[in-house]
């Protein structure tokens, strides 16, 4: 079932559901967003029962509530519940997927130059321990992924896995997930898509993207609790009998002393511990479905247009988001003043944001020639007035700097 389509968002109600946005200019949904009150309430109710009867009995009593996670997530991705597994994070889901692929020494993983640091560390560890080869797709001069180069690498090296991050954590760039999916289908390559930054802000349809594995986190644009995420697996993964290296007891049945039977669906990838966090994630995904992901995406486009247009007019900052398709992440840098001064100004103005450093995306930072960036990431509960307020705050900051610098210039 496709997510409900909502024409106009009730911003006042969304903000009433989000008390945190009343006390700050919250622009950090790419880090850890604000949970709506229904998410918090669902977890509080579950915890209250757990304090009375314990964790296992609460899990038994709340099976329907726990099961809602699979239904709502399947709805969000346009798939079926049996293709969805709960995970502790996107990284945990990635590790489960990687461990399921039978890599051999000399196999190739194809990735990108702007991938998430945790993914790259995992690939480098596999390269060191298993003897696999790691290749990276080049970018075009405008920042877009070079699909011609991707096809050539796939055709020449026949990688076992292509792994990309839909939206890099250090950039607003949106990578062409559907086009990569077509290439992987054409050449029979396993395809892993990290959707941690795109799920909850953009429509995702796995029937169009065609990933074998899609991983996501709950804490970002889905507005769920931390330590939650999910894994989507394709029919091909299940038909090939892939399963994680380390199987927990929710994932299989111990049938004989030396044999076991896997869960038929994606839950073969799940951990044992299911708790109030999974209930919170279920509520968060359901909330996004109720609001409507298309309506969320449209509101996000309006917000980002206002924010980018405003910041582009300020002399003194450099916007760093390359590529022809951009998202809810906006990054910028300045060489005029130390980061500490800008950081203090934004925090004094009640802006909640993120600073990132080269170790989060080493190759991309080197390419851009910077050693830090500020990341702003609004979401649909933000307002256009808030975007103007942030722009005015930064413009005032640079106006003061320019005025001060003129005062100390020597007289002619």
């Amino acid at each position: 079932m496709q997510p409900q389509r909502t024409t106009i968002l009730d911003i006042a109600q969304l903000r009433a559901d989000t008390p945190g946005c009343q006390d700050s200019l919250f622009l950090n949904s790419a880090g850890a967003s604000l949970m709506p009150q229904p998410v918090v309430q669902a977890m509080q109710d579950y915890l209250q029962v757990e304090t009375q009867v314990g964790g296992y009995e609460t899990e038994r009593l709340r099976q329907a509530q726990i099961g809602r996670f699979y239904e709502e997530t399947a709805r969000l991705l346009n798939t079926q519940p049996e293709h969805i597994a709960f995970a502790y994070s996107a990284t945990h889901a990635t590790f489960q997927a990687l461990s399921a692929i039978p890599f051999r020494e000399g196999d190739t993983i194809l990735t990108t130059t702007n991938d998430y640091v945790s993914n790259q560390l995992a690939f480098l560890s596999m390269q060191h321990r298993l003897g696999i080869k790691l290749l990276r797709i080049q970018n075009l001069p405008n920042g877009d992924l070079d699909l011609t180069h991707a096809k050539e690498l796939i055709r020449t090296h026949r990688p076992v896995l292509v792994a990309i991050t839909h939206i890099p954590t250090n950039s607003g760039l949106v990578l062409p997930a559907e086009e990569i999916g077509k290439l992987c289908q054409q050449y029979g390559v396993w395809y892993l898509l990290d959707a941690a930054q795109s799920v909850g802000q953009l429509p995702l349809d796995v029937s169009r993207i065609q990933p074998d594995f899609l991983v996501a986190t709950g804490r970002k644009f889905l507005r769920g609790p931390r330590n939650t995420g999910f894994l989507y697996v394709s029919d091909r993964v299940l038909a090939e009998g892939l399963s994680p290296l380390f199987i927990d007891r929710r994932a299989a049945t111990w049938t004989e002393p030396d044999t076991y039977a896997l869960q038929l669906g994606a839950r073969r990838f799940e951990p044992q511990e299911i708790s109030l966090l999974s209930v919170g994630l279920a509520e968060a995904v359901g909330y996004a479905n109720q609001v409507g992901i298309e309506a969320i995406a449209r509101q996000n486009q309006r917000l980002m247009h206002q924010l980018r247009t405003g910041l582009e007019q300020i002399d003194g900052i450099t916007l760093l988001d390359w590529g022809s398709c951009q998202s809810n992440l906006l990054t910028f840098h300045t060489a005029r003043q130390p980061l500490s001064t800008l950081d203090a100004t934004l925090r004094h103005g009640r802006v909640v944001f993120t600073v990132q450093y080269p170790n989060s995306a080493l190759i991309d930072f080197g390419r851009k020639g910077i050693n830090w960036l500020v990341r702003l990431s609004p979401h649909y509960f933000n307002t256009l007035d808030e975007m103007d307020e942030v722009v005015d705050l930064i413009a005032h900051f640079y106006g003061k700097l320019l005025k001060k610098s003129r005062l100390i210039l020597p007289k002619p």
Side-chain angles (χ1 to χ4, degrees):
M1 181 187 298
Q2 293 282 6
Q4 172 185 334
R5 297 191 174 213
T6 305
T7 303
I8 300 175
L9 295 183
D10 186 346
I11 301 296
Q13 181 59 57
L14 294 172
R15 291 178 68 80
D17 284 347
T18 313
C21 69
Q22 310 301 326
D23 300 322
S24 66
L25 289 169
F26 189 87
L27 301 181
N28 196 24
S29 286
S33 193
L34 297 175
M35 290 186 290
Q37 279 299 103
V39 174
V40 177
Q41 189 64 53
M43 291 191 292
Q44 288 176 334
D45 292 346
Y46 190 97
L47 183 60
Q48 185 59 42
V49 176
E50 192 167 302
T51 63
Q52 300 299 315
V53 299
Y56 281 175
E57 182 65 7
T58 304
E59 183 179 345
R60 185 186 70 83
L61 293 172
R62 295 298 183 99
Q63 280 300 305
Q65 190 178 16
I66 293 170
R68 185 179 175 221
F69 158 72
Y70 304 97
E71 298 164 2
E72 292 288 358
T73 306
R75 181 184 176 197
L76 184 71
L77 299 181
N78 191 30
T79 186
Q80 298 300 317
E82 58 266 26
H83 291 280
I84 304 297
F86 177 77
Y88 296 140
S89 66
T91 300
H92 171 242
T94 297
F95 292 168
Q96 291 291 83
L98 291 175
S99 77
I101 300 173
F103 289 104
R104 296 179 296 181
E105 184 175 358
D107 284 344
T108 298
I109 292 178
L110 181 59
T111 183
T112 65
T113 61
N114 44 29
D115 193 25
Y116 183 50
V117 56
S118 292
N119 298 341
Q120 290 291 299
L121 291 176
F123 301 151
L124 292 171
S125 176
M126 293 170 67
Q127 182 173 251
H128 175 73
R129 179 168 295 191
L130 303 180
I132 67 164
K133 300 176 183 177
L134 184 60
L135 298 176
R136 297 183 178 95
I137 305 166
Q138 296 173 356
N139 291 74
L140 296 172
N142 74 338
D144 285 344
L145 197 67
D146 188 337
L147 290 172
T148 300
H149 186 234
K151 184 174 182 178
E152 178 62 22
L153 289 176
I154 293 174
R155 188 184 65 81
T156 302
H157 296 277
R158 299 288 174 162
V160 172
L161 174 70
V162 172
I164 70 168
T165 294
H166 199 187
I167 299 176
T169 187
N170 57 291
S171 169
L173 175 69
V174 182
L175 271 63
E178 288 189 28
E179 287 77 3
I180 292 294
K182 292 175 183 176
L183 287 174
C184 291
Q185 288 288 317
Q186 179 181 352
Y187 289 95
V189 179
W190 295 113
Y191 178 26
L192 168 60
L193 179 68
D194 184 334
Q197 295 288 11
S198 54
V199 68
Q201 68 149 304
L202 298 175
L204 295 177
D205 186 336
V206 292
S207 69
R208 296 176 59 87
I209 299 172
Q210 302 181 86
D212 292 296
F213 303 94
L214 182 147
V215 303
T217 186
R219 65 180 160 86
K220 297 180 184 288
F221 291 97
L222 273 180
R223 305 180 63 195
R226 294 191 71 178
N227 296 120
T228 63
F230 64 80
L231 169 66
Y232 159 85
V233 299
S234 67
D235 283 325
R236 181 187 173 207
V237 168
L238 299 176
E240 292 285 337
L242 295 193
S243 63
L245 176 60
F246 298 108
I247 300 170
D248 214 334
R249 76 176 193 174
R250 286 177 60 87
T253 301
W254 194 12
T255 55
E256 298 289 343
D258 295 320
T259 61
Y260 58 88
L262 288 170
Q263 285 267 18
L264 294 179
R267 296 192 200 186
R268 67 181 62 176
F269 289 88
E270 282 195 338
Q272 159 63 16
E273 293 296 330
I274 299 294
S275 69
L276 77 163
L277 294 176
S278 64
V279 169
L281 181 58
E283 190 67 35
V285 180
Y287 190 92
N289 283 334
Q290 183 179 8
V291 174
I293 194 65
E294 292 91 352
I296 289 172
R298 288 194 295 270
Q299 171 67 358
N300 286 339
Q301 288 175 351
R302 288 190 285 268
L303 294 170
M304 294 307 297
H305 176 75
Q306 190 93 345
L307 183 60
R308 283 200 174 96
T309 301
L311 292 180
E312 283 173 349
Q313 309 307 313
I314 300 175
D315 182 26
I317 68 172
T318 301
L319 299 186
L320 300 170
D321 301 308
W322 299 346
S324 56
C325 184
Q326 297 177 355
S327 68
N328 275 51
L329 282 70
L330 182 148
T331 61
F332 70 90
H333 179 82
T334 178
R336 287 191 173 182
Q337 197 75 0
L339 171 62
S340 58
T341 306
L342 176 59
D343 185 282
T345 298
L346 290 172
R347 297 193 190 283
H348 183 73
R350 303 179 301 112
V351 182
V352 180
F353 64 101
T354 292
V355 177
Q356 290 194 315
Y357 300 95
N359 59 4
S360 68
L362 192 65
I363 299 173
D364 193 53
F365 270 78
R367 178 168 49 210
K368 292 174 178 175
I370 56 174
N371 57 6
W372 59 266
L373 60 80
V374 170
R375 185 183 71 189
L376 306 177
S377 51
H379 206 9
Y380 64 97
F381 54 80
N382 288 118
T383 66
L384 294 175
D385 286 343
E386 287 182 318
M387 301 304 99
D388 289 340
E389 187 173 350
V390 172
V391 170
D392 290 344
L393 176 66
I394 297 175
H396 181 63
F397 169 72
Y398 281 99
K400 289 175 62 177
L401 288 178
L402 290 173
K403 183 178 180 180
K404 181 178 179 182
S405 67
R406 292 190 186 101
L407 289 176
I408 63 174
L409 288 175
K411 294 181 180 181

